[in-house]
Amino acid sequence: MDRRSFLQRLTFFGGGVVLLGSGACSRCGAPAGPSEPQATAPSEPPHLTFTRAEYAVVAAACERVLPRDEDPGAQDAGVPVYIDRMLQTPELTRMRQDFIQGVAALERRSLRMFQVGFAQATPAQQDELLALFKDSPGGSGEAHFFELLMVLTLEGFLGDPSYGGNQAQVGWKLVGFDTVGTVASAPPEGHDGTRCLHTCGRQP
Amino acid sequence: MTKEPVDVCIIGSGAGGAPMALELARAGFKVVVLEKGPHYQPRDFIHDEILNSRRNFFMPLPWEEPHLVRQGTGGRYERTNSAWTANCVGGGTVHMSGYFYRLKPVDFRLRSTLGAVKGSTLADWPISYEELAPFYDKAEAELGVSGEAVPHPFAEPRSGPYPLPPLDVHPMARELDRVCGEMGWHALPTARGIISRPYRGRAACAYCALCGSYGCEMGAKSSTHASLIPAALATGNVELRPRCMARSVEVDKQGRARSVVYLDAEGVEQEQPAKVVVVSCTAVESARLLLNSVSNRFPRGLANGSGLVGRNLLFSSFGESRATFRVSKQRAARPWLTDPSPFVNRSVQDFYLMPDERFGFRKGGTLGFMWTHPNPIFAAVELAGSGKDGVFGKALKDRMRAYRDSRILQFEVYGEFLPTPGTYVTVEPSVKDKYGLPVAAITMDRHPMDFTATRFLVERGEEILLRLDPDDMQRVGIAGETTILQHGTCRFGNDPATSVLDRECRAHEVPNLYVVDGSFMPTAGSVPSTLTIVANSFRVAHGLVARMKRDGAAPAAPRD
């Protein structure tokens, strides 16, 4: 663990106040390149953040981060829905821009390497490409996008289900969070995390 | 707009500000408390990791309100959210874990005990443990502290038992007691700012396992939000103004503090005149406020004629290792391993001070044992790793399944953080926060002895963990610092040439200005400092009330 990330871990809290670390990184844009042409007609509103084509890439990428095996995977948990919704948070505008640029870069690289879009590539090809992004030099757009993808996927998989991910608490079941002493103190019925992010303690 | 004058304006409602508000209000003085963050209600404290730990519920976003941190004067500043504590009524006491240790007598005279340490600006405190002890008693009683004092070589003197009996602990605590005993060391019950029984109208702990990084919806955690602030408001003499960001402390022609200029919840500039101004925004942010309070009288920042405001910044040295117990492997030997009890609450202080320098240091510290925090996103991000060491796909899911089969015991080291000339806070005029105020910039130049001591303590902790026969042990690090524990930017002392505050935490240069967060501490001790900040604030309040009453509710005129 490098010194800076250790510094930011603030372990004394135990809870990990990481705040999507690299979102703070203003100079880390995604790789430069021509912007992706709009894949869907403006009349189609299937998602909040992504076009239909982008959403397919996001869904495929999340699923490679946490694939379905004997336990549910990212799509089973609703992770793409989580990311699509979460990136609507006004404070995360820069992250949204970086993420969408990263999706476009992933798609471009897939077309160049495999002659098919990322969502149509084989799982082995998708893994190869994601590993390439993951192992890119720290501070590069590729590494930054992979970190965002990883963190948002884990948030969607293991966060409160009210944000749209972790459906049927499949993420909590995978890591055993449902068996430690926190069951009795889950959020109250009807808790809406997305709304709370904007209103808790901020209403007069 | 200029508000009606009040007796005292306090900036910050955490460990430092709240005791002052309570004691001044009890004495009948009119107090305004300005708090940068919102006033959360217990219903807002929801067990939602994304809300609490991963967004700006407590901590500012680093792109809206960054702290700049660099390693040495040659380093590049990084924008971070480190060195913030919670921005809300109650401050860092709301999301603390509540490890409520006292300092020990040696911490008050470290310079005279160790002698000069090359490369360090070590200084004794102008007060003794004995002077602070009655206020430790008061702080423990007012906040509600659960614990059990047991004899050991470095036990600090106490006048009596803790106000509340210790919290229930996991069976693993007994194993720690056993192995430490075998080694001739002492596993001490860790005092906690969490009430084990109903206390002063507050409900007892429900053992939910989510203390650190969460607010306590039971009010069982002894934050100032749950204890001192409600008591202060109940006097009728305190007006609490949340979401008010102090911009500057203004001075009159005589150089006395006159008012606090702040931005209110709507972003409108307001001015609050007061006879006395108390600053308590954390050591980093208090230094920033003083340095940003520039006037003709104080061109280098308020109370900074000496140039010492922001110097001698201290955090707490940090190290950590973890032992993993596989439930499936240990089930026969330890059927109680899956007991959901969240607390281990054991500390080792046998190495608080070393008899000589044979290991390269004298001042050691504290080992605190605990289960790793149950936050699942936090845990999974660590499991995934990053860069070339990172994993995804089936490898990551396998790690997550192994985690499900694990109970992970860790210790944290709280070590001395020696003051150095190279570790300090300044303000950076070229980088402004969302309020348009220059941000705090931290330069770090750690003393090598800190790392030697932390490594030694980590190795002792690992000896203990290994005796517990874990399935795996992992060292997390020996060279960290806990930046939520911050001190020293306005150290107190008797000599205005070497300190910002006098022994009453009153600015040498501004007779009606007090600083009562961790800023006053010339050394930070080798334990979390929250209880010490509260105790000292009660001590300062005691003196200030006496002085204001003696002077007919007017602050004391400058002496000499």
Side-chain angles (χ1 to χ4, degrees), chain B residues 243-268:
Chain B
R243 302 179 65 209
C244 289
M245 174 65 178
R247 201 199 67 186
S248 60
V249 178
E250 299 296 315
V251 292
D252 63 17
K253 287 198 187 70
Q254 288 74 44
R256 298 165 59 87
R258 184 191 72 206
S259 66
V260 180
V261 174
Y262 65 96
L263 300 167
D264 70 13
E266 279 71 50
V268 178

Short mmCIF file of all heavy atoms in Angstrom, two decimals, chain B residues 243-268:
data_model
loop_
_atom_site.label_atom_id
_atom_site.label_comp_id
_atom_site.label_asym_id
_atom_site.label_seq_id
_atom_site.Cartn_x
_atom_site.Cartn_y
_atom_site.Cartn_z
N ARG B 243 -24.53 24.92 10.08
CA ARG B 243 -24.27 25.29 8.69
C ARG B 243 -23.81 26.74 8.56
O ARG B 243 -24.17 27.44 7.61
CB ARG B 243 -25.50 25.01 7.82
CG ARG B 243 -25.92 23.53 7.87
CD ARG B 243 -27.14 23.25 7.02
NE ARG B 243 -26.86 23.47 5.63
CZ ARG B 243 -27.75 23.84 4.73
NH1 ARG B 243 -29.00 24.04 5.09
NH2 ARG B 243 -27.41 24.02 3.48
N CYS B 244 -23.04 27.17 9.55
CA CYS B 244 -22.47 28.52 9.51
C CYS B 244 -20.94 28.40 9.49
O CYS B 244 -20.35 27.87 10.43
CB CYS B 244 -22.91 29.32 10.74
SG CYS B 244 -24.66 29.76 10.66
N MET B 245 -20.36 28.86 8.42
CA MET B 245 -18.92 28.71 8.20
C MET B 245 -18.20 29.99 8.58
O MET B 245 -18.38 31.03 7.93
CB MET B 245 -18.69 28.38 6.72
CG MET B 245 -17.22 28.33 6.30
SD MET B 245 -16.34 26.98 7.12
CE MET B 245 -14.71 27.17 6.38
N ALA B 246 -17.38 29.92 9.63
CA ALA B 246 -16.63 31.10 10.06
C ALA B 246 -15.61 31.47 8.98
O ALA B 246 -14.92 30.60 8.45
CB ALA B 246 -15.93 30.83 11.38
N ARG B 247 -15.55 32.74 8.69
CA ARG B 247 -14.61 33.21 7.66
C ARG B 247 -13.39 33.87 8.31
O ARG B 247 -12.27 33.69 7.88
CB ARG B 247 -15.32 34.22 6.75
CG ARG B 247 -14.68 34.42 5.41
CD ARG B 247 -15.14 35.71 4.77
NE ARG B 247 -14.63 36.86 5.53
CZ ARG B 247 -14.95 38.11 5.29
NH1 ARG B 247 -15.82 38.40 4.35
NH2 ARG B 247 -14.42 39.08 6.01
N SER B 248 -13.65 34.66 9.37
CA SER B 248 -12.54 35.36 10.02
C SER B 248 -12.96 35.81 11.41
O SER B 248 -14.15 35.98 11.68
CB SER B 248 -12.08 36.57 9.20
OG SER B 248 -13.16 37.49 9.07
N VAL B 249 -11.97 35.98 12.25
CA VAL B 249 -12.19 36.64 13.54
C VAL B 249 -11.66 38.06 13.38
O VAL B 249 -10.50 38.26 12.99
CB VAL B 249 -11.45 35.90 14.68
CG1 VAL B 249 -11.66 36.63 16.01
CG2 VAL B 249 -11.91 34.45 14.76
N GLU B 250 -12.53 39.04 13.67
CA GLU B 250 -12.16 40.44 13.47
C GLU B 250 -11.65 41.03 14.80
O GLU B 250 -12.07 40.59 15.87
CB GLU B 250 -13.36 41.25 12.98
CG GLU B 250 -13.91 40.76 11.63
CD GLU B 250 -12.91 40.93 10.49
OE1 GLU B 250 -12.29 42.02 10.40
OE2 GLU B 250 -12.73 39.97 9.72
N VAL B 251 -10.76 42.02 14.69
CA VAL B 251 -10.21 42.64 15.90
C VAL B 251 -10.52 44.13 15.93
O VAL B 251 -10.78 44.75 14.88
CB VAL B 251 -8.68 42.45 15.99
CG1 VAL B 251 -8.35 40.98 16.22
CG2 VAL B 251 -7.98 42.98 14.76
N ASP B 252 -10.51 44.69 17.14
CA ASP B 252 -10.70 46.14 17.26
C ASP B 252 -9.34 46.84 17.24
O ASP B 252 -8.31 46.21 17.03
CB ASP B 252 -11.51 46.46 18.53
CG ASP B 252 -10.79 46.05 19.81
OD1 ASP B 252 -9.55 45.81 19.75
OD2 ASP B 252 -11.45 45.93 20.85
N LYS B 253 -9.37 48.15 17.49
CA LYS B 253 -8.13 48.93 17.37
C LYS B 253 -7.08 48.51 18.39
O LYS B 253 -5.88 48.64 18.16
CB LYS B 253 -8.44 50.43 17.56
CG LYS B 253 -9.17 51.06 16.37
CD LYS B 253 -9.05 52.58 16.43
CE LYS B 253 -9.90 53.27 15.37
NZ LYS B 253 -11.37 53.15 15.64
N GLN B 254 -7.58 48.01 19.52
CA GLN B 254 -6.63 47.57 20.56
C GLN B 254 -6.08 46.16 20.28
O GLN B 254 -5.29 45.64 21.06
CB GLN B 254 -7.30 47.58 21.93
CG GLN B 254 -7.55 48.98 22.50
CD GLN B 254 -8.71 49.69 21.81
OE1 GLN B 254 -9.76 49.08 21.57
NE2 GLN B 254 -8.50 50.94 21.46
N GLY B 255 -6.56 45.57 19.21
CA GLY B 255 -6.08 44.22 18.89
C GLY B 255 -6.81 43.14 19.66
O GLY B 255 -6.34 42.01 19.73
N ARG B 256 -7.98 43.48 20.21
CA ARG B 256 -8.79 42.47 20.89
C ARG B 256 -9.81 41.89 19.90
O ARG B 256 -10.29 42.59 19.02
CB ARG B 256 -9.52 43.09 22.08
CG ARG B 256 -8.56 43.63 23.15
CD ARG B 256 -9.29 44.54 24.13
NE ARG B 256 -10.38 43.82 24.80
CZ ARG B 256 -10.23 43.11 25.91
NH1 ARG B 256 -9.05 43.03 26.48
NH2 ARG B 256 -11.25 42.48 26.46
N ALA B 257 -10.15 40.63 20.10
CA ALA B 257 -11.15 40.02 19.23
C ALA B 257 -12.49 40.75 19.41
O ALA B 257 -12.90 41.01 20.54
CB ALA B 257 -11.31 38.55 19.56
N ARG B 258 -13.12 41.08 18.31
CA ARG B 258 -14.34 41.89 18.36
C ARG B 258 -15.55 41.10 17.90
O ARG B 258 -16.64 41.20 18.42
CB ARG B 258 -14.14 43.11 17.47
CG ARG B 258 -15.27 44.11 17.46
CD ARG B 258 -15.07 45.13 16.35
NE ARG B 258 -15.32 44.50 15.05
CZ ARG B 258 -14.79 44.92 13.91
NH1 ARG B 258 -13.99 45.95 13.89
NH2 ARG B 258 -15.06 44.28 12.78
N SER B 259 -15.35 40.28 16.86
CA SER B 259 -16.50 39.60 16.27
C SER B 259 -16.01 38.45 15.40
O SER B 259 -14.81 38.35 15.10
CB SER B 259 -17.32 40.56 15.41
OG SER B 259 -16.55 40.97 14.29
N VAL B 260 -16.97 37.62 15.02
CA VAL B 260 -16.68 36.56 14.06
C VAL B 260 -17.52 36.83 12.81
O VAL B 260 -18.74 37.03 12.91
CB VAL B 260 -17.03 35.17 14.62
CG1 VAL B 260 -16.73 34.08 13.59
CG2 VAL B 260 -16.27 34.92 15.92
N VAL B 261 -16.88 36.87 11.67
CA VAL B 261 -17.60 37.01 10.40
C VAL B 261 -17.78 35.62 9.82
O VAL B 261 -16.83 34.84 9.76
CB VAL B 261 -16.84 37.93 9.43
CG1 VAL B 261 -17.53 37.96 8.07
CG2 VAL B 261 -16.72 39.33 10.01
N TYR B 262 -19.02 35.31 9.43
CA TYR B 262 -19.29 33.96 8.93
C TYR B 262 -20.31 33.99 7.81
O TYR B 262 -21.01 34.99 7.60
CB TYR B 262 -19.77 33.05 10.07
CG TYR B 262 -21.10 33.41 10.70
CD1 TYR B 262 -22.27 32.78 10.27
CD2 TYR B 262 -21.19 34.37 11.70
CE1 TYR B 262 -23.50 33.11 10.85
CE2 TYR B 262 -22.41 34.70 12.28
CZ TYR B 262 -23.57 34.06 11.85
OH TYR B 262 -24.78 34.38 12.41
N LEU B 263 -20.37 32.89 7.09
CA LEU B 263 -21.38 32.71 6.05
C LEU B 263 -22.46 31.81 6.62
O LEU B 263 -22.17 30.71 7.10
CB LEU B 263 -20.75 32.08 4.80
CG LEU B 263 -19.62 32.90 4.20
CD1 LEU B 263 -18.83 32.09 3.17
CD2 LEU B 263 -20.17 34.16 3.56
N ASP B 264 -23.71 32.27 6.58
CA ASP B 264 -24.78 31.49 7.20
C ASP B 264 -25.25 30.38 6.26
O ASP B 264 -24.69 30.18 5.18
CB ASP B 264 -25.93 32.40 7.67
CG ASP B 264 -26.72 33.02 6.51
OD1 ASP B 264 -26.56 32.57 5.35
OD2 ASP B 264 -27.49 33.96 6.78
N ALA B 265 -26.30 29.67 6.68
CA ALA B 265 -26.76 28.51 5.92
C ALA B 265 -27.18 28.87 4.50
O ALA B 265 -27.15 28.03 3.60
CB ALA B 265 -27.92 27.84 6.66
N GLU B 266 -27.54 30.14 4.29
CA GLU B 266 -27.92 30.57 2.94
C GLU B 266 -26.74 31.18 2.19
O GLU B 266 -26.90 31.71 1.10
CB GLU B 266 -29.07 31.59 3.02
CG GLU B 266 -30.45 30.97 3.19
CD GLU B 266 -30.65 30.37 4.57
OE1 GLU B 266 -30.36 31.07 5.56
OE2 GLU B 266 -31.04 29.19 4.67
N GLY B 267 -25.58 31.15 2.82
CA GLY B 267 -24.40 31.71 2.17
C GLY B 267 -24.29 33.22 2.33
O GLY B 267 -23.48 33.86 1.67
N VAL B 268 -25.12 33.81 3.22
CA VAL B 268 -25.10 35.25 3.43
C VAL B 268 -24.11 35.59 4.53
O VAL B 268 -24.07 34.93 5.57
CB VAL B 268 -26.52 35.76 3.81
CG1 VAL B 268 -26.50 37.25 4.08
CG2 VAL B 268 -27.52 35.40 2.72
#
